[in-house]
Amino acid sequence: MDCAPLSEMIERYLEHLKNEVVQEYHAQVRRRLNGFLSFAGPLRVRDVTRGKVEDYLDWLRTRNPDLAQNTLNLHLVALKGMFTWAVDREDLPDSPLRKFRLDAQVGRRRNRRPSSPETLRVLVDAGLWGPR
């Protein structure tokens, strides 16, 4: 499988996922994997490296500087999941992303404003007395 086109491996993985996950999650994984494929171009499975994935995540950050850390992690999780699946099936000897983790400080937190006293009062009342 390592000589196969990455697009073929993506399609096989998505076919496997179709019966394992809900349709919405399947669509999200498809978008994330195809996003990587669009960025990287036509690759063979063996040509996917940690460096290429890092470049992809950097490219996503550059296109959208406000991208949340969690969103970047979801892109990485989709790729790692596919490679783990291929290793589990013994299609690949090892995953190029096996120990790859994003630094916690990579993403930016969004500024959040504190809740108003009125909002807090409504939440506490709802917890105590139920919704009105």
Side-chain angles (χ1 to χ4, degrees), residues 36-72:
F36 176 73
L37 191 59
S38 294
F39 168 80
L43 287 177
R44 300 244 174 242
V45 172
R46 69 173 173 229
D47 297 329
V48 176
T49 63
R50 178 183 170 141
K52 284 197 190 317
V53 173
E54 286 173 339
D55 291 345
Y56 173 60
L57 297 173
D58 287 342
W59 178 74
L60 287 173
R61 279 186 215 105
T62 302
R63 284 185 58 214
N64 185 356
D66 293 328
L67 205 59
Q69 174 73 21
N70 188 47
T71 303
L72 293 171

Side-chain angles (χ1 to χ4, degrees), residues 9 13 16-17 25 29 33 74-88 95 97:
M9 183 169 138
Y13 177 60
H16 159 75
L17 274 187
Y25 181 73
V29 171
L33 294 176
L74 291 172
H75 284 270
L76 180 58
V77 164
L79 287 161
K80 287 178 79 167
M82 180 180 64
F83 280 99
T84 299
W85 167 80
V87 170
D88 289 348
S95 168
L97 306 176

Side-chain angles (χ1 to χ4, degrees), residues 7 11 13 32 46 51 77 83 106 113 126 128:
S7 58
E11 287 309 312
Y13 177 60
R32 291 178 187 124
R46 69 173 173 229
V77 164
F83 280 99
V106 172
R113 38 187 182 92
L128 293 174

Side-chain angles (χ1 to χ4, degrees), residues 1 39-40 66 77 101 105 108 129 132:
M1 161 82 67
F39 168 80
D66 293 328
V77 164
R101 296 197 194 298
Q105 299 174 358
R108 289 179 19 192
W129 312 110
R132 293 183 185 186

